[in-house]
Amino acid sequence: MTKEEFNNQKWYKNMPVWANEQKCYVHAVNFLTGKIDVIYKIGDTSSVAWNFCMVKLDPPQPTALDLIAQEREKQISKGYTVGHDAKEYPNSELVDIATSLIYNNWHQVPEGWSKDYWKILCSRPYKDRLRIAGALIAAELDRVINEEKEANQ
């Protein structure tokens, strides 16, 4: 990872790490060695004891909201925008589709969807189905918000 790539990450500053069995917080990173030397401060912010250690910095695991947002962005990039959803699914059909996906109802193929594609979606692991269903519910919420906004204009 280059210095520029590392600096573009938002997770490292003040990230908690454990060193010498004490909770510490990342303060800065030295890239001169080609390795990530983490400078950390032990204890509270009033402490003046600085130490060096090697720590592997892994970005935090994405949250459920992160996964759903990424999936929704992927759907939008494929053309499944609020406008598309308003035309194709004006009566809360996205919620029904999401529910069927969560409960793995592969025999209830949504109208207009390929049976083969629906079976593939329903065969995905539970976590993936939750992520996709969450994005479908977010799409429905976007559709409802847009509908209300248009009604108030």
Side-chain angles (χ1 to χ4, degrees), residues 48-65:
V48 293
W50 292 91
N51 295 288
F52 292 88
C53 70
M54 291 297 293
V55 178
K56 181 180 178 192
L57 296 176
D58 291 325
Q61 292 297 313
T63 66
L65 290 177

Side-chain angles (χ1 to χ4, degrees), residues 63 69 122 143:
T63 66
C122 287
R143 186 194 67 77

